[in-house]
Amino acid sequence: MAKNNRPRRGGTSGPARRRMSGRTGFFRSTRQQMAGWNERVGRGINHVLVLAQDFFWNHRIIFRMIWSGITLAPSFLVINVYTNEPFSKDFAANWPVLSNWLENEPLVMTLIATAWIPILETLRNVVTERIRREPTGWKDASNIMHAALNTVVSAKLRRFRDAYSGFYLKQRGTSLATAQAAPAICCKEVFKKITEPLKQTESLVSAIYSFFDHAARGDKDQPMQALVSLVRVEDGKAVELVQHLPETAVFTHDVIEKLNTPHSALMHCIKTKKIFVVPSVLNEAAGHNPRYILLGDDSDSVDGSLICYPVPTIRKNVVLVVSVFYPRKKAFIERHKREYESILKMFALRLELEFTLENLKGLCQ
């Protein structure tokens, strides 16, 4: 029997499907190539700016002299053209067009000379921020990180010491040799005594708070207070606000419901399974396709920056999300998310450990 090569009704023939698939693949490939090209161009520009930063840093005295000359040139020109006759004649002979313009438009040139310095300073600040290699306030990041982690370890060591004293040195004056000769303590009892995952989790949240409360501050910032929270997510939905600092922070009664909004930052973080940085929460919330929802009431108009970081756990359906908010626009920016992630990874490993211990302790009970 001859094979029927006619396309099925309501469907698409094999060659047509291949052509459509080819076009789709072509457009997808083109988009990927454009995205890769944009990324390479961005890296190239950033590399050039970094090289410029190195050059100017190594020749900063010469750069300061050049910068001072550029900054003062318009004011110097205006003052001497209108008050210094020999200079004015010499300038007119060498620069007749510009001299004629200055004579005809003295008010405009005076305004330009007045605005020149603030314009240059603004441009300088923009370029300086663009070529900054590390986030604002990151100079002492390693020292702050070590201090924060040492606080966590110290709390655990103190608990272990107390447990040791309670088990072996119950009576004052008992010698260590006598205590060690005593009957062995039940391992389950020791495990329960020294394992306090909730307290350790609280210490870790406190350490994250201490780090970002210092590291997010700019050199000239007024003291502001960060807000760090730890949210438990099960089966893709936020179920509990586990910890938050400062403890005086006030959340609305429907905070969990708001976090579960499809376009909240937390949900975006869960879907992508990656760190998510919001430089300005107000701008993001007012955008065309927002990925942030305001958690406060209608009167909440505080702008700031946000980081959301997912922490996987031993239970595949449970994820912990660390959120760090700082009440200053662009305190956290997308370009530095690798630096934020490198810090949060250290805390995430310890949070995952404490979550595992919490589940093991539940099994022992």
Side-chain angles (χ1 to χ4, degrees):
M1 181 180 292
K3 188 175 181 180
N4 188 358
N5 292 324
R6 291 181 302 174
R8 295 180 181 177
R9 183 172 299 177
T12 307
S13 65
R17 282 197 299 272
R18 285 194 292 272
R19 286 195 299 272
M20 292 177 63
S21 176
R23 286 195 294 269
T24 304
F26 170 76
F27 289 127
R28 185 183 298 113
S29 176
T30 302
R31 286 196 298 269
Q32 292 174 351
Q33 290 176 0
M34 288 296 296
W37 184 82
N38 291 335
E39 184 177 355
R40 288 194 298 271
V41 170
R43 286 200 302 265
I45 294 174
N46 190 63
H47 178 67
V48 171
L49 290 173
V50 169
L51 291 177
Q53 180 192 38
D54 290 338
F55 175 80
F56 288 133
W57 178 257
N58 294 330
H59 304 82
R60 52 187 179 276
I61 296 177
I62 298 175
F63 172 70
R64 287 174 182 172
M65 294 173 62
I66 296 173
W67 183 260
S68 297
I70 294 174
T71 304
L72 298 175
S75 300
F76 174 83
L77 183 63
V78 169
I79 293 172
N80 281 276
V81 164
Y82 297 131
T83 61
N84 189 336
E85 186 175 354
F87 179 88
S88 179
K89 290 180 178 180
D90 188 58
F91 183 76
N94 291 282
W95 303 86
V97 177
L98 184 56
S99 176
N100 184 55
W101 185 77
L102 286 172
E103 291 179 3
N104 296 326
E105 300 290 345
L107 180 60
V108 174
M109 189 58 194
T110 303
L111 292 175
I112 292 175
T114 304
W116 182 250
I117 293 178
I119 290 173
L120 277 187
E121 287 299 318
T122 302
L123 179 61
R124 182 181 181 180
N125 292 335
V126 170
V127 174
T128 302
E129 180 63 28
R130 182 66 184 88
I131 63 178
R132 187 189 295 273
R133 294 183 178 181
E134 56 188 16
T136 303
W138 221 253
K139 294 179 181 178
D140 298 325
S142 59
N143 294 333
I144 299 171
M145 182 70 185
H146 291 152
L149 290 178
N150 283 340
T151 302
V152 177
V153 176
S154 297
K156 179 174 284 190
L157 177 60
R158 185 166 55 251
R159 189 167 63 253
F160 281 21
R161 282 175 174 171
D162 292 343
Y164 181 85
S165 300
F167 283 130
Y168 291 104
L169 305 174
K170 293 182 180 179
Q171 297 180 356
R172 180 175 298 179
T174 302
S175 66
L176 183 61
T178 304
Q180 290 178 340
I185 305 296
C186 175
C187 293
K188 182 177 179 180
E189 186 178 355
V190 174
F191 181 75
K192 286 184 177 180
K193 186 72 174 177
I194 67 174
T195 307
E196 293 289 346
L198 294 180
K199 288 184 179 180
Q200 281 300 111
T201 300
E202 184 177 350
S203 297
L204 285 167
V205 173
S206 177
I208 296 172
Y209 172 83
S210 297
F211 178 84
F212 282 98
D213 193 48
H214 286 83
R217 294 181 186 177
D219 298 334
K220 299 179 181 179
D221 271 3
Q222 294 293 328
M224 297 182 181
Q225 194 170 51
L227 173 62
V228 176
S229 61
L230 181 67
V231 178
R232 182 187 180 109
V233 178
E234 292 188 12
D235 299 319
K237 291 186 177 181
V239 295
E240 180 187 5
L241 182 60
V242 181
Q243 299 281 350
H244 70 271
L245 281 176
E247 295 180 352
T248 54
V250 178
F251 293 93
T252 57
H253 67 282
D254 58 345
V255 61
I256 296 298
E257 181 181 347
K258 288 183 176 179
L259 289 174
N260 282 314
T261 304
H263 57 273
S264 71
L266 183 139
M267 285 294 105
H268 180 76
C269 177
I270 293 298
K271 290 175 183 177
T272 59
K273 298 180 181 179
K274 296 179 181 179
I275 186 173
F276 180 50
V277 179
V278 182
S280 169
V281 295
L282 293 184
N283 289 350
E284 184 67 33
H288 182 63
N289 294 310
R291 293 172 294 177
Y292 177 81
I293 182 170
L294 296 173
L295 299 181
D297 54 26
D298 295 336
S299 63
D300 188 5
S301 59
V302 177
D303 199 1
S305 303
L306 177 72
I307 300 174
C308 284
Y309 185 77
V311 180
T313 68
I314 194 172
R315 293 174 56 184
K316 301 301 182 182
N317 67 322
V318 178
V319 178
L320 303 176
V321 178
V322 178
S323 296
V324 183
F325 175 81
Y326 195 79
R328 178 170 60 82
K329 183 178 179 180
K330 293 185 178 181
F332 308 129
I333 58 177
E334 180 74 16
R335 183 160 51 90
H336 292 146
K337 70 178 181 180
R338 290 184 180 179
E339 284 80 359
Y340 310 141
E341 188 172 18
S342 65
I343 293 296
L344 289 170
K345 272 184 178 179
M346 300 183 186
F347 292 110
L349 181 63
R350 289 157 177 79
L351 285 170
E352 186 178 358
L353 170 63
E354 299 305 330
F355 180 84
T356 305
L357 287 175
E358 182 183 353
N359 282 267
L360 281 174
K361 193 171 184 180
L363 294 176
C364 290
Q365 292 175 351

